[in-house]
Amino acid sequence: MAAEPQPKALTRKPLLLNKVEGSQEVVNMAAIVPKEDGVISVSEDRTVRVWLKRDSGQYWPSIYHAMPSPCSCMSFNPETRRLSIGLDNGTISEFILSEDYNKMTLVKSYQAHQSRVMMILFVLEMEWVLSTGQDKHFTWHCSESGQRLGGYRTSAGACGLQFDVETRHVFVGDHSGQVTILKLEQESCSLVTTFKGHTGGVTALCWDPIQRVLFSGSSDHSIIMWDIGGRKGTAIELQGHNDKVQSLSYAHHTRQLISCGADGGIVVWNMDVERQETPEWLDSDSCQKCDQPFFWNFKQMWDSKKIGLRQHHCRKCGKAVCGKCSSKRSSIPLMGFEFEVRVCDSCHESITDEERAPTATFHDSKHNIVHVHFDATRGWLLTSGTDKVIKVGVRRLLE
């Protein structure tokens, strides 16, 4: 159930620390180098670049490496300095970066997919490389031998990929809007379950292993928080974007979810509050408040000699109502509606000012974001966009 479109509610101007420019095409993914003032990026222009901040205050590439195909995604492990890069031709190439980040050495390459690699995760504890592709396959490889350990065919090309080390569960979100949970063994996998709550494709996943909650972002502009831990099996909607959600990140220490979208918005959600599930929309042939018939209810229209009305739904109680009985709008932040949405008149009267208090802050990045990376140690945020620009560090964003 998508929220009705509303004007952007951007309440703070973020402080930009630096911009990294120089890529010839879209920067599909980038990451802040921990303990270094540097950035690693992969681009559609086929380049892998490591940018280090110079004395001048500008970032310049210490590594500029051309790949044989456009670079679609990457995974960087700071402990081992292992950089895994997914390519448009289906190949995954692994490099080791030198300690001074001035050199990268190819370790191995393997054909993981038949078409574009969409997402990569390197799991150090298992020595596994997990990946999804446009070929509708999830695969995992041994990072030591390069051997393919197994795979699973998804219902559509998958962009979302997360892994829980403790249970060896992998979460795959695909373009059909479905999330698939698989249990991985060393050389086999089994289907645990699938669930679907989005009306558009899943574009990003984010996993909180402590609270055991999965977040899924979608092209339908919404985010759903799935309670995988089994407390009640709840699914909480978060509505704060006016375009498709492109990337998600989670700050564990503050329990804040960071979502970025094609609308240029960065939304920081406070997840340390008791949120409520949105109700299912009820079916009815007449308004459940005034009993006026809806326009398809020919019998009641004839009997009452009245013209049928258009059906709406109250976002708070889920009842089917007419426009006259739902003329008010209200934000319902604890239900995830940070923008004002349609509610019936009785629900509008029952919502208090405290319940309308926002649980998210909104920021304008000034570019169409395709990827976000958060460095918790320094509180820095990195975004890369379709404008070929990387923006580094939005200080005080999470305060």
Side-chain angles (χ1 to χ4, degrees), residues 344-365:
C344 66
D345 293 351
S346 57
C347 281
H348 187 271
E349 293 176 5
S350 70
I351 301 173
T352 65
D353 289 340
E354 289 183 355
E355 290 177 311
R356 290 190 178 94
T359 62
T361 56
F362 298 81
H363 317 264
D364 190 359
S365 70

Side-chain angles (χ1 to χ4, degrees), residues 152-259:
Y152 182 87
R153 183 174 175 84
T154 56
S155 57
C159 283
L161 180 63
Q162 290 287 280
F163 182 73
D164 182 58
V165 175
E166 182 182 345
T167 62
R168 296 189 183 184
H169 284 152
V170 65
F171 308 95
V172 182
D174 63 47
H175 290 312
S176 74
Q178 181 172 285
V179 177
T180 302
I181 303 180
L182 305 169
K183 175 65 179 282
L184 297 191
E185 303 296 344
Q186 187 60 34
E187 295 184 5
S188 66
C189 74
S190 56
L191 176 65
V192 177
T193 188
T194 61
F195 43 87
K196 187 173 182 178
H198 290 289
T199 57
V202 175
T203 51
L205 293 180
C206 188
W207 172 243
D208 176 6
I210 300 171
Q211 301 296 321
R212 308 203 66 73
V213 166
L214 181 72
F215 301 97
S216 60
S218 171
S219 59
D220 66 10
H221 309 181
S222 74
I223 300 163
I224 297 180
M225 181 180 77
W226 306 91
D227 173 22
I228 304 296
R231 291 186 294 275
K232 293 182 180 178
T234 53
I236 307 294
E237 289 188 47
L238 303 174
Q239 303 281 355
H241 288 278
N242 293 291
D243 205 333
K244 62 181 177 180
V245 179
Q246 299 271 51
S247 187
L248 300 171
S249 186
Y250 190 71
H252 298 275
H253 63 299
T254 57
R255 289 196 64 186
Q256 289 173 303
L257 176 72
I258 307 162
S259 62

